[in-house]
Amino acid sequence: NFIKIWHPLEKGKKMPVEFKTVTETEKELRLDRWFKRHFPDIPHGLLEKLLRKKDIRINNTKATTNTRLMPGDIIRIPPIKIQQKVLSPKTLAKADISLMQEILLYKNEDILVLNKPAGLAVQGGSKTTHHIDGMLEALKFDYDEKPHLVHRLDKETSGVLVVARTAQSAAYYSRLFKTKEIHKTYWALVAGLPYPEKGKIEAPLLQKRTGKYSDTRTIDSDGLPAVSMYAVQDHLVDKISWLQMSPVTGRTHQLRIHAANILKTPILGDDRYGKKNELSKELPAKMFLHARAISIPLNNKKRLVIEAPLPKHFKQAFQRFGFSEKNVKSLFLGELT
């Protein structure tokens, strides 16, 4: 068994530049996912470097990792040298296989829906080796290919996560997320009581490096549009509130920032955008944001609605503050349905 280690070709070495054409089944696929499919051994960091240097281009123009592809697009791939070294085959631990099967909420021929635990990353990074994407092999069932991610949740957020079972399904459901045809509902416990108790937030987000975090977002008029709906479901005087929130757009950390900076009621356990709260000291050291439900359009014009049961730390908090799941009249906020 071998692992391929990729890096740009050294100067003076001549190899032809490759050009690949995007197919119909790859419509709306992100560029980084296209590379993962065609060149799975190229590290994400190297891909970003080649894009920054414009060595990789789409239709001879600059691209980024999240550029969406269209059939007929021409992707320029620069010469890359391969070194190989022996590597023992990677197998999933029995505990990881059991975990993935335990968190499976729903399965059909196109998608799988998981109930992601809080604290488990969706994808890997420079310091993250244990993540959902790395364990999806456990959910191949009778299919030959590994399932594909089609959206993300923050590491500390629990709840509904959809993965596609085939590359073709991944392109289709990625498009549904992009066109906002898939509706999502989150539950959050926040410090304080928002005023008004329900409404719509429109506050653009801009990525900035602040302190130790390189991927922190801030409210900024130069940022990307970010829209969220919210409604208070219950509250303990003005000390703590249970919110139902629905992101109309899908910006990174959107609900967390809108709760903290616009509503002035940060999510409990959110150390990045909030601060330590007296009530949170009585609770487990986790963030109280849960992707509660998702509504997905089916071919017969009906909708598939999947709910993710509350994790243990949420149940403990509900019991501590006297909240009840039965108080929710509708899973989705009106404007989104």
Side-chain angles (χ1 to χ4, degrees):
N1 296 285
F2 296 92
I3 183 172
K4 296 178 181 179
I5 303 175
W6 298 71
H7 55 82
L9 195 68
E10 297 168 359
K11 289 184 177 179
K13 303 283 186 180
K14 291 187 177 180
M15 284 179 64
V17 171
E18 277 191 83
F19 293 92
K20 286 188 176 288
T21 303
V22 176
T23 65
E24 186 67 37
T25 59
E26 295 168 333
K27 182 179 180 180
E28 296 290 346
L29 195 65
R30 281 172 47 131
L31 181 60
D32 55 353
R33 293 174 198 159
W34 185 92
F35 264 91
K36 190 167 185 179
R37 183 183 300 178
H38 290 272
F39 302 96
D41 301 304
I42 295 182
H44 186 77
L46 176 57
L47 175 62
E48 289 188 328
K49 180 180 179 181
L50 294 172
L51 286 165
R52 285 195 303 270
K53 294 173 64 180
K54 300 182 183 179
D55 289 333
I56 293 174
R57 298 193 292 272
I58 299 176
N59 301 327
N60 208 31
T61 60
K62 184 178 179 180
T64 62
T65 55
N66 61 1
T67 296
R68 297 283 177 176
L69 301 173
M70 295 300 292
D73 282 346
I74 305 298
I75 301 177
R76 180 190 189 275
I77 301 156
I80 297 174
K81 185 174 71 172
I82 307 172
Q83 292 178 334
Q84 293 185 322
K85 66 178 181 181
V86 175
L87 183 72
S88 58
K90 180 181 178 181
T91 57
L92 288 178
K94 289 182 179 179
D96 290 338
I97 296 172
S98 296
L99 170 65
M100 294 300 287
Q101 293 174 351
E102 286 171 7
I103 66 175
L104 180 63
L105 294 174
Y106 175 83
K107 172 170 73 78
N108 67 18
E109 66 274 12
D110 295 320
I111 61 170
L112 306 169
V113 182
L114 312 179
N115 185 11
K116 188 189 87 66
L120 178 60
V122 172
Q123 277 186 302
S126 58
K127 297 181 181 179
T128 303
T129 57
H130 191 241
H131 47 84
I132 292 286
D133 191 35
M135 297 185 285
L136 286 176
E137 288 280 349
L139 299 179
K140 288 171 64 174
F141 297 104
D142 54 340
Y143 282 36
D144 293 329
E145 60 183 301
K146 167 188 162 184
H148 307 262
L149 297 171
V150 293
H151 72 125
R152 308 289 185 274
L153 291 177
D154 292 344
K155 179 179 179 180
E156 301 307 328
T157 302
S158 58
V160 174
L161 180 72
V162 177
V163 295
R165 301 191 67 187
T166 66
Q168 189 170 358
S169 293
Y172 174 73
Y173 284 97
S174 294
R175 180 183 64 78
L176 290 185
F177 274 103
K178 184 179 180 180
T179 56
K180 305 177 181 63
E181 295 174 68
I182 293 177
H183 303 158
K184 296 178 286 184
T185 286
Y186 290 73
W187 285 2
L189 294 183
V190 301
L193 176 62
Y195 180 82
E197 293 191 13
K198 63 179 179 179
K200 182 178 184 179
I201 302 168
E202 298 181 81
L205 302 180
L206 184 67
Q207 181 175 347
K208 291 183 178 180
R209 178 179 290 276
T210 57
K212 62 179 180 179
Y213 300 114
S214 61
D215 60 342
T216 297
R217 271 71 179 171
T218 60
I219 304 294
D220 195 300
S221 58
D222 292 330
L224 296 172
V227 181
S228 305
M229 307 291 294
Y230 75 95
V232 175
Q233 301 301 302
D234 204 349
H235 60 95
L236 182 63
V237 292
D238 61 351
K239 299 296 184 183
I240 186 169
S241 301
W242 162 26
L243 302 188
Q244 183 161 301
M245 305 186 77
S246 290
V248 179
T249 54
R251 309 302 177 200
T252 301
H253 302 166
Q254 176 178 314
L255 296 181
R256 297 165 62 181
I257 299 168
H258 282 176
N261 293 357
I262 301 299
L263 299 181
K264 306 301 181 184
T265 55
I267 294 172
L268 295 183
D270 186 355
D271 295 335
R272 182 177 301 202
Y273 297 104
K275 58 183 179 181
K276 295 293 183 181
N277 179 276
E278 289 299 319
L279 288 172
S280 65
K281 293 179 181 178
E282 306 172 22
L283 302 171
K286 292 181 180 291
M287 187 169 71
F288 286 83
L289 181 62
H290 179 66
R292 173 62 172 183
I294 198 159
S295 173
I296 304 172
L298 300 177
N299 292 333
N300 59 8
K301 297 185 179 179
K302 294 184 179 180
R303 280 188 168 267
L304 171 69
V305 176
I306 303 291
E307 290 184 64
L310 289 178
K312 184 178 178 181
H313 68 286
F314 250 92
K315 291 180 179 178
Q316 290 175 341
F318 269 43
Q319 185 176 17
R320 167 69 179 82
F321 301 121
F323 299 152
S324 172
E325 297 179 52
K326 297 179 181 178
N327 289 350
V328 175
K329 296 178 181 179
S330 174
L331 272 176
F332 297 94
L333 298 177
E335 190 162 323
L336 294 178
T337 56

